[in-house]
Amino acid sequence: METEAAAARQAKESLELAFQMSQILDTGLDRHTLSLLMALCDRGANPEALAALVRELSSAAPPTAAAAPAPVNNGTAVPTPTTASLFPSGLRHP
């Protein structure tokens, strides 16, 4: 049981370190997305292929509602529907 706690602590520390590096590099990855990518790497996924996929999906993501001007109806602003992101965890676009 103690080894499980130590393994969990080590995993949390590793994720925190990777997240700090991600923030320094301004990747836009949140902890959840980063943990999923790390888990895929732990299971044998090619990290370079994952990086290419993240770049491709980030560039293909539709523009956010904040980037588009709100339509005007009779002089009053109408709320713009929020566009679904390919990355609900909030990846920034390059």
Side-chain angles (χ1 to χ4, degrees):
M1 181 147 191
E2 189 174 310
T3 58
E4 290 177 15
R9 191 176 331 104
Q10 180 65 38
K12 187 174 182 176
E13 289 173 4
S14 295
L15 176 59
E16 185 58 31
L17 179 60
F19 180 69
Q20 288 175 5
M21 290 188 302
S22 173
Q23 293 295 103
I24 291 168
L25 296 171
D26 197 27
T27 65
L29 297 172
D30 63 9
R31 280 181 179 87
H32 178 72
T33 303
L34 190 58
S35 69
L36 293 174
L37 293 169
M38 290 174 68
L40 288 169
C41 288
D42 286 344
R43 286 165 178 76
N46 181 331
E48 291 180 13
L50 287 174
L53 179 64
V54 168
R55 277 190 218 103
E56 184 176 328
L57 291 174
S58 294
S59 66
T64 61
V72 176
N73 184 5
N74 295 331
T76 59
V78 177
T80 304
T82 304
T83 306
S85 172
L86 290 174
F87 294 100
S89 59
L91 272 179
R92 292 188 205 127
H93 304 292

